């Protein structure tokens, strides 16, 4: 790394990258994003990417990233795009590095007055906004009361249907479960991995593809369905890996991670019963993630990692530790564990 005023130069050692036979380097993609003052959280909507062609290059590549805000922290990550058999693939992102740009130089004697004037103007606008907000709040409250009344009627009808069909999940739980499982369906993405069996033909939906693969190949980790308007539409493939080891976003495909789909069906009662409160886990650590909002989010991250079978979640810090097979272990305050197979 080298630091400049509002600019940073990243040196990527692509000359040390060894590719399998049949693969060639295509481009280096440098992604960068602004972070908070502590350098711990990414600021939403600040992601940018610089693409540099590196075809045939066997020397380190220096990429200059300009237009950065002075005195700010930025996270920078790289990935290499390669070409194989006429297709483009991307490696996993590198570990993030954090860079800090220099503060600008100059005369700042008038800044205090400008800040004071700006604060006074802002306070006036805030008061005016508060008045308008009160009016909007009253309108929203009236609308909310109307919606709640209609929801009450709808809930009564849903309860009657659930009683007749022996359903135990509430309508809200079904919606959450459906949204969680929909997140597992990656449309426009093709997984590639270790094939299990041959191609299953004439399959209409990715859900039917997953069902057929689970029946024919119990060890299925993920599936990919070719969809219209591809001439191979209806081809269903079963793979051992959960997400495949290569991704292709250039074709007409739809893919599903089986474990993500299976655990997404669990209701709140199941999640609660499978969560061991204030308990560590004996499995070996695969990796740790930071800033995770809940044990459910932690478990979903585990589902997307081959070999991960359990998690430890630290409620006080949001740290998520991905584990391989093991069992619930000793007492640790503010740390919970969960084994994924308990959920389905």
């Amino acid at each position: 790394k080298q630091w400049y005023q509002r600019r940073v130069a990243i040196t990527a050692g692509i000359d040390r990258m060894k590719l399998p036979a049949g693969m060639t380097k295509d481009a280096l993609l440098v992604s960068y994003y602004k972070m908070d003052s502590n350098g711990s959280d990414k600021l939403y909507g600040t992601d940018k990417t610089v693409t540099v062609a590196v075809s045939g290059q066997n020397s380190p590549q220096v990429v200059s990233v300009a237009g950065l805000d002075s005195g700010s922290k930025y996270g920078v990550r790289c990935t290499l795009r390669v070409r194989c058999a006429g297709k483009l693939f991307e490696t996993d992102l590198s570990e993030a590095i954090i860079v800090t740009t220099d503060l600008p130089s100059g005369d700042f004697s008038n800044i205090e007055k400008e800040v004071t004037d700006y604060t006074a103007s802002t306070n006036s606008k805030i008061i005016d906004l508060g008045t308008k907000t009160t009016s909007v709040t009253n309108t929203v409250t009236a609308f909310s009361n109307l919606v709640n009344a209609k929801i009450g009627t709808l809930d009564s009808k849903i309860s009657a249907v659930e009683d007749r069909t022996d359903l135990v999940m509430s309508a809200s739980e079904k919606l959450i479960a459906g949204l969680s499982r929909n997140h597992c369906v990656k449309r426009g993405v093709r997984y590639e991995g270790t094939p299990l069996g041959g191609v299953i033909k004439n399959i209409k939906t990715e859900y039917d593809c997953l069902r057929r693969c689970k029946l024919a190949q119990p060890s299925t980790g993920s599936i990919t369905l070719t969809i219209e308007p591809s001439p191979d539409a209806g081809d269903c493939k079963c793979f051992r890996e959960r997400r495949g080891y290569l991704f292709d976003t250039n074709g007409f495909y739809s893919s599903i991670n089986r474990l993500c789909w299976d655990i997404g069906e669990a209701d709140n009662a199941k999640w609660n019963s499978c969560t061991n409160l204030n308990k560590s886990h004996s499995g070996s650590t695969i990796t740790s993630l930071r800033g995770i909002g809940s044990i459910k989010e932690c478990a979903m991250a585990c589902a997307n990692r081959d070999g991960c079978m359990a998690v430890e979640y630290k409620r006080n810090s949001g740290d998520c530790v991905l584990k391989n097979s093991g069992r619930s272990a000793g007492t640790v305050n503010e740390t919970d564990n969960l084994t994924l197979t308990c959920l389905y």
Side-chain angles (χ1 to χ4, degrees):
K1 309 187 291 292
Q2 299 175 346
W3 283 278
Y4 301 92
Q5 187 76 12
R6 303 184 66 190
R7 176 187 299 270
V8 65
I10 305 298
T11 302
I14 62 173
D15 55 318
R16 299 196 300 270
M17 297 179 182
K18 305 299 182 182
L19 298 179
M23 284 190 178
T24 58
K25 300 169 188 173
D26 179 76
L28 181 68
L29 283 68
V30 179
S31 303
Y32 60 97
Y33 47 84
K34 196 171 183 180
M35 307 187 74
D36 62 13
S37 59
N38 296 322
S40 57
D41 293 316
K42 180 172 71 174
L43 299 184
Y44 177 77
T46 61
D47 299 79
K48 294 183 179 180
T49 300
V50 176
T51 302
V52 180
V54 295
S55 177
Q57 183 168 329
N58 291 309
S59 59
Q61 175 65 49
V62 179
V63 181
S64 179
V65 178
L68 306 180
D69 294 338
S70 299
S72 298
K73 295 182 183 296
Y74 286 83
V76 184
R77 305 181 77 177
C78 299
T79 184
L80 181 66
R81 189 168 68 197
V82 300
R83 185 178 296 274
C84 179
K87 296 286 186 178
L88 294 176
F89 306 94
E90 294 180 9
T91 64
D92 289 339
L93 285 169
S94 68
E95 293 295 329
I97 60 173
I98 299 177
V99 297
T100 304
T101 56
D102 295 334
L103 287 171
S105 59
D107 182 9
F108 297 94
S109 59
N110 292 326
I111 288 182
E112 183 176 358
K113 181 179 182 304
E114 292 176 358
V115 170
T116 300
D117 293 343
Y118 177 77
T119 301
S121 173
T122 301
N123 287 339
S124 176
K125 293 178 180 178
I126 289 175
I127 293 173
D128 181 57
L129 180 61
T131 301
K132 294 179 180 178
T133 300
T134 300
S135 175
V136 172
T137 300
N138 292 336
T139 302
V140 170
T141 299
F143 177 74
S144 178
N145 292 336
L146 178 62
V147 170
N148 286 337
K150 292 185 178 296
I151 289 177
T153 302
L154 182 59
D155 281 342
S156 298
K157 294 180 179 179
I158 290 174
S159 296
V161 172
E162 289 179 339
D163 290 340
R164 288 194 298 268
T165 57
D166 295 323
L167 296 177
V168 294
M169 281 203 307
S170 68
S172 59
E173 285 181 318
K174 290 179 183 178
L175 176 59
I176 293 172
L179 291 174
S180 297
R181 300 183 88 185
N182 189 60
H183 175 73
C184 304
V185 181
K186 303 299 182 183
R187 294 180 174 85
V189 175
R190 176 170 68 94
Y191 291 166
E192 268 304 337
T194 305
L196 299 175
V199 176
I200 305 174
K201 296 286 188 177
N202 302 317
I203 302 301
K204 299 298 183 183
T205 68
E206 56 266 49
Y207 314 113
D208 191 33
C209 177
L210 178 60
R211 181 183 64 82
R212 295 284 295 275
C213 281
K214 288 167 70 174
L215 289 173
Q217 303 292 337
S219 60
T220 293
S222 63
I223 64 93
T224 290
L225 177 68
T226 308
I227 60 177
E228 298 288 352
S230 170
D232 297 322
D235 284 3
C236 168
K237 297 180 181 179
C238 322
F239 299 110
R240 185 181 307 280
E241 294 80 10
R242 294 180 187 175
R243 298 181 66 188
Y245 56 79
L246 290 176
F247 294 79
D248 181 359
T249 58
N250 297 328
F252 302 99
Y253 308 100
S254 186
S255 301
I256 299 178
N257 174 334
R258 173 190 176 173
L259 186 56
C260 176
W261 181 263
D262 286 346
I263 68 176
E265 190 176 12
D267 59 15
N268 287 336
K270 190 66 172 177
W271 279 97
N272 292 336
S273 66
C274 291
T275 301
N276 299 302
L277 299 177
N278 298 314
K279 293 286 186 180
S280 63
H281 193 274
S282 66
S284 299
T285 296
I286 298 173
T287 190
S288 296
L289 308 174
R290 302 188 64 185
I292 303 301
S294 67
I295 196 167
K296 287 187 179 181
E297 187 179 344
C298 183
M300 284 299 182
C302 178
N304 285 320
R305 183 68 175 257
D306 281 314
C308 184
M309 297 303 298
V311 296
E312 271 184 7
Y313 179 68
K314 305 180 188 299
R315 282 176 269 128
N316 56 348
S317 64
D319 289 351
C320 168
V321 183
L322 307 187
K323 299 273 189 173
N324 60 20
S325 58
R327 57 183 177 80
S328 187
T331 299
V332 180
N333 289 335
E334 298 293 326
T335 296
D336 306 330
N337 77 65
L338 182 148
T339 300
L340 267 59
T341 53
C342 175
L343 294 169
Y344 60 93

